[in-house]
Amino acid sequence: MKKKMSIAAVLIAALVLVGLVAMRGGNGSDARAQSIAEAGDTTPSAEALRIRQEIQNDPVAPTVAPEGYDVTIVFFTDYQCPYCRKMHPVLDALMREDNKVRLVYRDWPIFGAASTEAARAAIAAKYQGKHAEFNAALMQTDGRLSSQSIRAAADRAGVDWNRLQADLDQHGSEIGQALGRTSRFAAMAGLSGTPGLMVGPYLLPGAVDLATLRQAVALAREGE
């Protein structure tokens, strides 16, 4: 017998694995969209499971992975998105209280050049072990970003700027490819903007409060 879900749970009950769309095609000119699952069938296909694994596991995407984690949250985010900034303390609170949650940052810079600059710099900061601090500093920056405010956030975070520039040069191509993968996966998931949260197999398209996020995690644990 199925459990009766609360209103909050109903809001997140659309399975990403059913809604994902795989883009297929040889040279791209004859690409076609094909549904991952048959209509009315909530059993994910092997292809959907593979895509979900790729979304959750990217060698370039900054990741916080506690030992023994049992649920993965993927955060599609832009540093200039005001709702992403609101989600930052919510995710922080969840990670502090639940040491079985893994968090993957999938930077999806859709608000222009400054967003892309910030995303690339934040990802590059992971190579000197400063992604968490730089991410927090960028999320706490008010208003529109600029090269100057990104540099100021890096200084507040204790980022070695010269090392950051060297890492951007060395890893620039792979960072760009990771951003491209994230954009493609966001389209597959049907996201129209940031933030987007993939909690296990569930999609939360938009900002949510801590109570709803906790419930999403609980549902993901039931389904894993």
Side-chain angles (χ1 to χ4, degrees):
M1 182 177 178
K2 292 183 178 179
K3 294 182 179 179
K4 183 178 180 180
M5 293 193 295
S6 69
I7 293 175
V10 170
L11 293 176
I12 61 174
L15 283 168
V16 171
L17 293 174
V18 174
L20 279 174
V21 172
M23 299 306 296
R24 302 177 185 272
N27 57 16
S29 61
D30 59 347
R32 61 188 178 87
Q34 179 175 333
S35 175
I36 287 298
E38 295 295 332
D41 181 8
T42 58
T43 302
S45 69
E47 178 72 356
L49 288 170
R50 182 189 65 78
I51 293 172
R52 177 181 164 196
Q53 286 295 314
E54 289 187 8
I55 293 172
Q56 293 179 335
N57 301 282
D58 190 293
V60 181
T63 301
V64 180
E67 186 176 352
Y69 69 85
D70 57 9
V71 170
T72 294
I73 295 177
V74 180
F75 186 29
F76 290 86
T77 179
D78 183 305
Y79 285 110
Q80 294 198 98
C81 166
Y83 294 102
C84 295
R85 291 172 179 172
K86 290 181 179 180
M87 278 305 307
H88 174 68
V90 174
L91 284 166
D92 269 359
L94 180 74
M95 297 295 286
R96 284 196 301 270
E97 70 179 38
D98 191 333
N99 63 2
K100 297 294 185 181
V101 171
R102 173 176 176 255
L103 179 59
V104 180
Y105 292 92
R106 305 257 8 183
D107 288 278
W108 186 26
I110 57 176
F111 283 81
S115 292
T116 300
E117 182 180 349
R120 293 179 68 90
I123 294 171
K126 79 170 193 169
Y127 297 106
Q128 59 177 282
K130 283 290 185 178
H131 176 266
E133 294 87 349
F134 196 13
N135 173 68
L138 286 167
M139 285 292 186
Q140 292 161 7
T141 300
D142 294 326
R144 304 273 313 167
L145 290 176
S146 65
S147 296
Q148 291 73 27
S149 62
I150 293 169
R151 173 65 185 270
D155 290 342
R156 292 196 305 274
V159 172
D160 181 329
W161 190 255
N162 290 332
R163 165 73 188 274
L164 186 73
Q165 299 311 302
D167 285 329
L168 280 167
D169 287 341
Q170 181 178 350
H171 302 286
S173 177
E174 60 197 77
I175 291 172
Q177 291 169 15
L179 294 177
R181 289 192 293 271
T182 296
S183 179
R184 186 172 73 254
F185 289 137
M188 286 181 177
L191 291 173
S192 59
T194 54
L197 292 157
M198 183 174 166
V199 184
Y202 295 100
L203 181 66
L204 294 134
V208 297
D209 59 17
L210 182 56
T212 302
L213 190 56
R214 286 179 185 139
Q215 192 158 19
V217 170
L219 283 172
R221 284 195 171 114
E222 289 179 7
E224 292 288 3

